[in-house]
Amino acid sequence: MKIICLARKKTIFAFAAAAVLLAAVFAVNAAAPSVIAAVAKKRSLPIYSVEREDKKISISFDCAWGVEYTDELLRIMDEYDVKSTFFAVQFWVEKYPDYVKKIAAKGHEIGTHSRTHPKMSTFSKEQIESELSTSSAAIERLTGKKTELFRPPYGDYDDLLIDTAKEMNLFTVQWDVDSLDWKNLSATEMATRVVNGVKSGSIILCHNNGLHTAEALPVILATLKNKGYEFVPIGELIYRENYAIQSDGRQIFLGKSGV
């Protein structure tokens, strides 16, 4: 009699275990679409650098405050026959319109750095669109050229910002080499950082009003040109179509359409 009771308990336990297992399977299957969707959704990323083998690189200058060193930067780049990209905040554009025209007239590219230099990852889609549309329009009125590039203030972004900028036909651009001129490093320290950090397809971050940026610039340009690098505006460095962005922000070319 005792043996029969033990056998019955084992059978009950077996059925219970099977029921728990089946419930778990059904739960996983029911959740599968949402799980798959979460895994499938990749984070939207800006362009930090570009996969290239031709040793083309870009140097960029963020413009938000002041112009004290801007003429010297432009003079040096003329001397070394280098074209760059400036990212300008709208209030800077409106305060220094003659500099915007001068930068464009010398063949440099100008992208938007927002209207008010906020942390845009906290913004709604409507706020993002307003920041980007008005700042782009302010640049276009002075240069007569369409604004195609955008750099988020503070390097701060989220999926909504990147996706909204893309919908507005703007390429969002970061950097992979930071001069740290905003920390007021010495010219030697800055030049060493940049020269040692650059590779083919790199984007260098500087600021037009960095304390020692103009002092470091000749060393940076001369050294990298001697190493065989060619400076081009970011708009000429990036791929405009048939590309993907890797998890480290490096833009890669996927090949020509139909190939």
Side-chain angles (χ1 to χ4, degrees), residues 102-147:
K102 185 186 296 187
I103 290 167
K106 287 183 174 292
H108 302 287
E109 182 178 48
I110 305 179
T112 176
H113 197 31
S114 81
R115 180 175 65 205
T116 59
H117 207 269
K119 285 204 167 186
M120 295 180 70
S121 65
T122 66
F123 276 19
S124 67
K125 185 178 180 70
E126 292 72 23
Q127 289 174 308
I128 292 169
E129 290 172 340
S130 178
E131 283 274 336
L132 297 182
S133 61
T134 60
S135 57
S136 295
I139 295 168
E140 291 168 12
R141 279 193 296 270
L142 292 170
T143 65
K145 297 178 181 178
K146 181 174 176 55
T147 306

Side-chain angles (χ1 to χ4, degrees), residues 6-47:
L6 287 173
R8 187 174 296 170
K9 284 182 180 180
K10 287 182 179 180
T11 302
I12 292 171
F13 285 141
F15 276 120
V20 170
L21 179 60
L22 285 172
V25 170
F26 283 124
V28 169
N29 287 337
S34 60
V35 170
I36 292 170
V39 172
K41 178 167 174 50
K42 295 171 62 177
R43 186 181 182 194
S44 298
L45 293 171
I47 299 169

Side-chain angles (χ1 to χ4, degrees), residues 199-234:
K199 58 182 177 290
S200 185
S202 279
I203 298 172
I204 303 165
L205 170 67
C206 298
H207 295 78
N208 74 305
N209 219 34
L211 186 60
H212 300 296
T213 306
E215 186 183 349
L217 190 59
V219 178
I220 292 170
L221 300 185
T223 304
L224 290 175
K225 290 189 84 169
N226 285 338
K227 287 175 174 285
Y229 288 101
E230 177 186 355
F231 289 88
V232 298
I234 293 171

Side-chain angles (χ1 to χ4, degrees), residues 155-182:
D156 173 64
Y157 64 90
D158 61 1
D159 287 2
L160 179 62
L161 178 60
I162 305 300
D163 295 342
T164 303
K166 186 175 182 180
E167 290 170 7
M168 299 176 71
N169 297 314
L170 289 168
F171 291 91
T172 304
V173 178
Q174 297 278 72
W175 61 87
D176 67 326
V177 180
D178 189 347
S179 69
L180 292 184
D181 58 353
W182 53 276

